[in-house]
Amino acid sequence: MLDGLRQFISDIVSPQAQERAFGDSDYRLAATALLIHVISLDGEPTPTEKRKLHGLIESHFGLDRGTADRLIASATEVEGDAVDLYRFTSIIMRAVDEEGRKRIVEMMWELVYADGHVTEFEDNVVWRASDLLAVSQRDRIDLKHIVANRRTGQVKDSVTGG
């Protein structure tokens, strides 16, 4: 019986988990896992979504490319094992202030809009995550509009050259 318990614990604390540079209670891992969840909602993430994710992770967390790669790899692993958003949002709630949580929701919107359109499912997941992060409905909608307007401005700039 004891051997079975040891094996169970060993399986949970796998070598991959021990090698991760970011611990399970690191809010950066939790936030990145949420972002990966968002870009995975409509199937395999596009190259544009992957580039956007990488840029957001590097700039928001102040990481170099290699460290961002490791964070994304670790977050992809834990996101695949997760059964709900609470696992990630609870970690973020303990570590991040209101402005930081709003920034995470804004990053979610940036990824939702990365492919040019918002699905009902993506909108719903951002709504649920925002609710779990104690970001108000008003702030969530304001952030959505800010990101959408920023994207519209980028499209206009690339079309008009200005």
Side-chain angles (χ1 to χ4, degrees):
M1 179 159 160
L2 218 48
D3 289 334
L5 180 59
R6 281 191 197 117
Q7 183 61 45
F8 175 74
I9 292 170
S10 176
D11 290 344
I12 290 174
V13 185
S14 67
Q16 295 87 359
Q18 293 171 352
E19 293 171 7
R20 281 203 299 262
F22 299 90
D24 287 340
S25 62
D26 190 323
Y27 82 92
R28 298 170 300 174
L29 180 67
T32 304
L34 275 179
L35 298 174
I36 289 167
H37 184 73
V38 167
I39 64 172
S40 302
L41 288 171
D42 53 3
E44 183 66 27
T46 66
T48 301
E49 290 170 324
K50 290 178 183 178
R51 280 192 304 277
K52 183 69 171 179
L53 172 67
H54 219 287
L56 289 170
I57 297 305
E58 287 179 20
S59 66
H60 185 70
F61 297 129
L63 302 176
D64 61 57
R65 184 155 188 84
T67 306
D69 284 340
R70 287 190 296 280
L71 175 57
I72 291 168
S74 293
T76 300
E77 182 183 323
V78 298
E79 192 279 330
D81 295 338
V83 294
D84 61 16
L85 301 177
Y86 182 77
R87 172 180 178 180
F88 307 122
T89 58
S90 63
I91 293 167
I92 295 167
M93 285 295 292
R94 287 190 298 269
V96 180
D97 65 11
E98 182 180 6
E99 286 305 309
R101 294 190 312 268
K102 286 181 188 176
R103 178 63 186 129
I104 290 169
V105 171
E106 182 179 5
M107 291 167 53
M108 293 174 78
W109 283 125
E110 289 179 45
L111 288 168
V112 165
Y113 277 101
D115 64 2
H117 67 281
V118 180
T119 67
E120 198 174 308
F121 195 56
E122 290 168 328
D123 190 70
N124 182 267
V125 167
V126 177
W127 168 74
R128 287 187 298 132
S130 298
D131 193 44
L132 290 168
L133 291 171
V135 172
S136 71
Q137 177 182 354
R138 179 186 178 119
D139 287 338
R140 174 179 48 86
I141 292 169
D142 286 349
L143 290 167
K144 179 180 182 179
H145 292 301
I146 288 167
V147 171
N149 289 337
R150 194 181 308 144
R151 178 156 174 76
T152 303
Q154 289 172 350
V155 171
K156 286 179 185 175
D157 287 347
S158 68
V159 171
T160 63

